[in-house]
Amino acid sequence: MKSQLIKWSSLLCLTTSSWVLSAQTDNLTMTSTNRVNEVLEQVLTAYGGRDRMTNLNQVKIDFETTTFAVNQSKNPGPPWDENQQKGSTAIDLSQQQFATQNQGITQNFHNGTIINGDQSHQLNWRAQTATPIAEPNFLNTAGPFIRVTPALLVKQLMERSFASHYLGQVDLNGRPHDVLSLVMEVGPAISLYFDQETHLLHQSERFFVGFGLVGYRFHDYQTIDGIPFNRKFELFINEDKNMVRHNVNTTVNQPIDAQLQRPEGLRIVDPLQPDPLQRQTIADGVYLIGGNGTYAMFVDMGDHFIAVGGTAGLADRMRLLREVDADKPIRFGVMTHHHSDHILGAQVYAESGITVISAKAHEAVIQNAISVADAQLETVDKKRVFKGPKRELQVIDVGPTDHSSHLLVAYLPDAGLLFEADHFGLRSPNNIQPANQATQDFAAALKRLGIKAQKIVSAHSPRVSTLEELKQAVQMGQALTQQD
Ligand SMILES: [Zn+2]
């Protein structure tokens, strides 16, 4: 047993010699638990003491953010598009109340969320709407804020240290850090890196299977009401910097009632209905299949199908198509653009022997997303017309837009119907929102290219919207721009 423990210790690369020694005399679980308690006491002292952490109840932070659109930029590679936002978040832990809002500076959006029992709402200032949240979830909604606020993480660690482990000691920027695990309510545990000298939190990370490592780095501490708060954090996903946030103003233990008020003038709209996986026939031989925010279109060309869209869950959507026709082959799978959430389907198509169609400019990204040796990939430069015995389908590059330099849409002239991604998805006819720049660019491209679609089908909406609704959204968007 003893030698087994020593072997584990060396496997875990433990560098603190006292820790390794005690592992030989005790067992790993006890050693880890004791070490968690030692580190926690040091950390609590650094964060103003146990009483101060116990009494830490409200936090409000005003911030300015720069985001880097890794794999979500207009072009397929770096440098990634940078955008600026400003916003504020307020939390009351004992009342389980939470309010956050975020406004684009370089993009036009202004959204928020209030979690306050039966007064919980999603807010959209541009659309002037407040959507009631039927089942508000404080922990799920506040989690992202807690995870970027070291003092709140330390408070959670204090409350849940019984479930923590000591993971070891590592050097970060030449300084030794103790690393502890903290079990989260939702998702994988988070690793917390505390400086061994200052005992402040400098880094945290979580690993998601199939997605990767999400890491935060905390900088520029200042003391507010006796508690250290960071002025800055950076978010990394698989080592790529995704976000830098400057905390401009932090207040502690002040009531957050003002933030919890639904802003005056916002119109209450119907809550969004659940959206389970389903198949809809949207025109003769044209099926929209999807649910939970992602959809693909399947077009019966006569002796084969063409599939359009590459978002999550494509295999399930193809299975539902098989209930309509068990045998007719899907010959082509059209990828709308190169963004990470729209290329997941490329592998599914390739595995099924379906020829993948992409914009010429996105060929390398799509090829990279496929690990099938003999995958067929063909590209579209401007436009390609697919003809079947029953009808024709046009795949047209309507880019550039403010969202993507190239964007393939699928247009069915006989049905007057067009499939697009990320530019116009209207979930409810009563909730048309002012078009952002990307949607305005998309509408202008349809006009410029003479595409006469009356119906618009989206990769992110179960509802077929109309050209009239798109025009209305564009008018609303342009009216807002003129006001600015
Ligand atoms: Zn996109």
Side-chain angles (χ1 to χ4, degrees), residues 72 337 339 342 403 422:
Q72 296 282 346
H337 63 306
H339 288 164
H342 287 269
H403 184 80
D422 290 349

Side-chain angles (χ1 to χ4, degrees), residues 29 35 37 48 55 131 148 188 215 229 234 241-242 247 279 283 289 305 363 376 420 431 441 464:
T29 308
R35 194 77 182 99
N37 289 329
N55 295 327
T131 311
V148 301
F229 280 87
E234 297 167 295
K241 194 191 286 194
N242 270 246
N247 294 334
R279 181 187 61 241
I289 307 180
F305 283 104
E363 184 176 9
Q376 300 294 314
E420 67 79 39
N431 192 13
D441 295 344
V464 179

Side-chain angles (χ1 to χ4, degrees), residues 33-51 53 154 157-158 161 178 180 194 198-199:
T33 304
N34 293 338
R35 194 77 182 99
V36 165
N37 289 329
E38 280 171 33
V39 173
L40 177 63
E41 284 313 312
Q42 295 165 332
V43 167
L44 285 176
T45 304
Y47 279 80
R50 196 174 274 272
D51 286 350
M53 276 293 108
V154 168
L157 180 66
M158 179 179 80
S161 60
D178 291 312
L180 268 55
F194 292 102
T198 65
H199 308 296

Side-chain angles (χ1 to χ4, degrees), residues 26-36 165:
D26 211 326
N27 81 30
L28 271 181
T29 308
M30 282 315 299
T31 309
S32 167
T33 304
N34 293 338
R35 194 77 182 99
V36 165
H165 276 302

Side-chain angles (χ1 to χ4, degrees), residues 31 34 57 69 82 94 103 105 132 177 186-187 206 227 256 272 284 291 326 347 407 449 462:
T31 309
N34 293 338
N57 203 15
E82 272 185 51
S94 70
Q103 180 171 13
I105 294 170
H177 283 68
V186 188
R206 300 170 101 189
I227 301 171
I256 67 162
L272 292 177
D284 179 33
Q347 172 71 10
L407 180 80
L449 297 166

